[in-house]
């Protein structure tokens, strides 16, 4: 059974980890929680060793106004001392403070999958646009700017699933598919035969679009996301049937169905399921509008990285099915379109 390392209500809890050197001595390492504990946002974990300082994720703190004020505060460590930042996936609570980390002195290397890097860029731009709007409203400068985003992207390198990457001083990193959103990764860091795995968010496998979450079998330490660990999610078939019933009921009443959805993954899953339902004749060919500039940009990234999709979806695409396009589908590209 794997030891599991987890946080409590103290956001800076420090847990000692022993990396045994195979030659002459034991080397102490520490895992320190700077976010993602005590609340469900702001993921920010530090692995401090004798020769390297790693961060895993640097997310936005979300919630009440009081909680969100913390995004402007200085980091409780010196960003210039961090050598490498690993990013599990592109949701705001895992990437939202990366430009601020750079603004405050980080000059190391950022690693993620290529899809995560591209998604992060559109997420940063969107957050900055919202930040500029808030600046005009309340006069408070956003906690990063365009230059910080550009600087962050210049430090960003990509890693592929199932290929070990040497990150120096005897450390290697290995990315597994987390099955959560496009490009999401379980990150395994190894040195001298000892391995610690950081899961990030995990997919509710099987999912309509992505491959199943891969397993972790040989880690000595496991830091695991547990936000939804106390609940059961409905399966894919039940959810699709519910969507079908709601669409049919709304169509019979001559109504309009509005579906709020996260821009990353949820929107693309909905488009795929609508495509399947409409093309199969299970629901009528009604007008469907995607009314979100961010979700539109994210969907284009999904189209570009079809290699991350599961076998069923790739077979659909190989058979000529444009999975995010179907009769009646329209994208609201301008404000007038939205109106």
């Amino acid at each position: 059974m794997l030891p599991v390392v987890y946080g409590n209500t103290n956001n800076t809890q420090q847990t000692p980890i022993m990396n045994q050197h195979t030659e002459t001595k034991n080397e102490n390492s520490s895992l320190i929680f700077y976010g993602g504990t005590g609340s469900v946002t702001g993921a920010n974990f530090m692995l401090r060793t004798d020769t390297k300082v790693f961060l895993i994720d640097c997310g936005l703190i979300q919630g009440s106004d009081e909680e969100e004020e913390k995004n402007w505060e200085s980091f409780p460590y010196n960003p210039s001392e961090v050598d490498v930042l690993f990013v599990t996936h592109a949701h705001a609570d895992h990437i939202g403070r990366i430009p601020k980390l750079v603004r405050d002195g980080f000059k190391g290397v950022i690693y993620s999958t290529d899809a995560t890097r591209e998604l992060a860029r559109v997420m940063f731009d969107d957050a900055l646009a919202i930040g500029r709007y808030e600046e005009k409203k309340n006069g408070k400068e956003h906690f990063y700017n365009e230059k910080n985003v550009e600087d962050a992207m210049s430090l960003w390198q990509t890693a592929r699933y199932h290929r070990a990457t040497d990150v120096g001083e005897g450390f290697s990193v290995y990315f597994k598919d987390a099955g959560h959103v496009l490009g999401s990764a379980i990150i395994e860091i190894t040195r001298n035969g000892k391995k610690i795995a950081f899961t990030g968010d995990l997919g509710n496998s099987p999912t309509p679009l992505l491959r199943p979450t891969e397993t972790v079998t040989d880690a000595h330490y496991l830091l695991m996301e547990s936000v939804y660990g106390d609940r059961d999610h409905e399966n894919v078939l039940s959810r699709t049937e519910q969507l079908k019933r709601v669409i049919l009921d709304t169509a019979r009443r001559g109504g309009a169905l509005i579906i709020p959805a996260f821009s990353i993954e949820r929107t693309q899953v909905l488009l795929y399921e609508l495509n399947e339902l409409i093309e199969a004749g299970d629901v009528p060919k009604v007008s469907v509008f995607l009314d979100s500039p961010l979700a539109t940009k994210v969907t284009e990234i999904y189209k570009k990285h079809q290699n991350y999709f599961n076998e069923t979806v790739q077979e659909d695409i190989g058979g000529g099915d444009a999975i995010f396009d179907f009769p009646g589908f329209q994208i609201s590209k301008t404000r007038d379109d939205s109106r």
Side-chain angles (χ1 to χ4, degrees):
M1 184 174 180
L2 297 176
V4 179
V5 181
Y6 56 93
N8 64 7
T9 55
N10 180 354
N11 281 10
T12 56
Q13 180 186 351
Q14 181 166 319
T15 301
I17 295 176
M18 183 67 71
N19 284 340
Q20 186 170 359
H21 198 289
T22 55
E23 297 176 0
T24 58
K25 62 180 180 177
N26 290 334
E27 298 161 352
N28 289 319
S29 302
S30 296
L31 178 64
I32 310 169
F33 299 85
Y34 288 116
T37 56
S39 66
V40 299
T41 64
N44 193 207
F45 313 111
M46 178 180 285
L47 178 62
R48 182 180 285 274
T49 77
D50 56 314
T51 58
K52 286 276 191 180
V53 178
F54 300 113
L55 283 182
I56 296 83
D57 290 338
C58 189
L60 191 71
I61 300 168
Q62 298 166 300
S64 67
D65 291 344
E66 182 180 354
E67 284 295 304
E68 293 187 1
E69 281 292 319
K70 295 177 182 178
N71 291 306
W72 276 261
E73 296 177 1
S74 298
F75 290 97
Y77 50 83
N78 185 351
S80 67
E81 294 180 354
V82 178
D83 297 293
V84 182
L85 167 64
F86 298 109
V87 181
T88 60
H89 66 285
H91 276 149
D93 58 326
H94 290 257
I95 65 166
R97 286 185 293 164
I98 292 177
K100 175 175 166 51
L101 187 75
V102 173
R103 183 177 193 168
D104 290 0
F106 173 76
K107 292 181 174 62
V109 182
I110 304 171
Y111 283 103
S112 76
T113 63
D114 52 357
T116 294
R117 185 183 189 276
E118 291 183 38
L119 289 170
R121 179 56 196 257
V122 300
M123 292 290 285
F124 292 151
D125 290 345
D126 185 73
L128 195 54
I130 295 171
R132 292 293 185 232
Y133 172 78
E134 294 294 329
E135 282 181 22
K136 292 178 181 178
K137 189 169 68 171
N138 57 33
K140 185 174 184 179
E141 182 183 359
H142 194 58
F143 52 88
Y144 64 81
N145 57 35
E146 289 89 347
K147 182 180 185 302
N148 305 140
V149 173
E150 294 298 336
D151 289 344
M153 301 315 296
S154 73
L155 301 172
W156 210 304
Q157 298 185 27
T158 59
R160 296 175 63 179
Y161 290 142
H162 313 139
R163 180 176 295 180
T165 300
D166 183 351
V167 292
E169 304 294 340
F171 288 94
S172 68
V173 64
Y174 190 86
F175 283 51
K176 288 183 174 177
D177 194 338
H180 175 53
V181 298
L182 192 77
S184 59
I186 298 168
I187 296 173
E188 298 180 341
I189 302 173
T190 302
R191 182 173 68 163
N192 298 327
K194 292 288 186 178
K195 179 183 292 185
I196 180 169
F198 298 85
T199 69
D201 288 306
L202 299 173
N204 183 26
S205 301
T207 63
L209 285 179
L210 303 180
R211 291 188 291 260
T213 302
E214 294 188 285
T215 57
V216 176
T217 59
D218 59 349
H220 298 86
Y221 295 91
L222 175 67
L223 190 146
M224 184 174 182
E225 184 83 21
S226 60
V227 172
Y228 297 107
D230 63 343
R231 66 190 70 179
D232 292 324
H233 293 279
E234 61 188 352
N235 62 47
V236 174
L237 290 176
S238 297
R239 189 179 66 237
T240 303
E241 279 300 311
Q242 183 180 6
L243 177 63
K244 175 183 171 181
R245 287 196 302 271
V246 170
I247 293 172
L248 289 173
D249 180 61
T250 305
R252 276 194 295 267
R253 292 186 290 105
L257 176 61
I258 300 175
I259 306 177
F262 292 121
S263 295
I264 299 180
E265 190 67 20
R266 296 284 179 84
T267 292
Q268 292 72 41
V269 167
L270 273 168
L271 291 178
Y272 176 70
E273 291 181 327
L274 287 167
N275 173 72
E276 295 287 288
L277 290 170
I278 290 173
E279 291 189 349
D282 292 331
V283 299
K285 294 180 180 179
V286 297
S287 294
V288 177
F289 299 91
L290 175 57
D291 189 14
S292 165
L294 178 58
T296 299
K297 293 174 184 176
V298 169
T299 301
E300 289 302 313
I301 295 173
Y302 268 67
K303 290 178 182 179
K304 180 180 176 181
H305 293 283
Q306 298 174 358
N307 56 304
Y308 287 114
F309 296 159
N310 61 47
E311 289 183 5
T312 300
V313 177
Q314 293 201 40
E315 287 174 3
D316 288 347
I317 295 170
D321 189 0
I323 63 169
F324 299 132
D325 194 13
F326 43 86
F329 177 59
Q330 300 178 55
I331 296 175
S332 300
K333 296 181 179 179
T334 68
R335 185 170 296 179
D336 287 339
D337 290 342
S338 182
R339 291 196 186 100

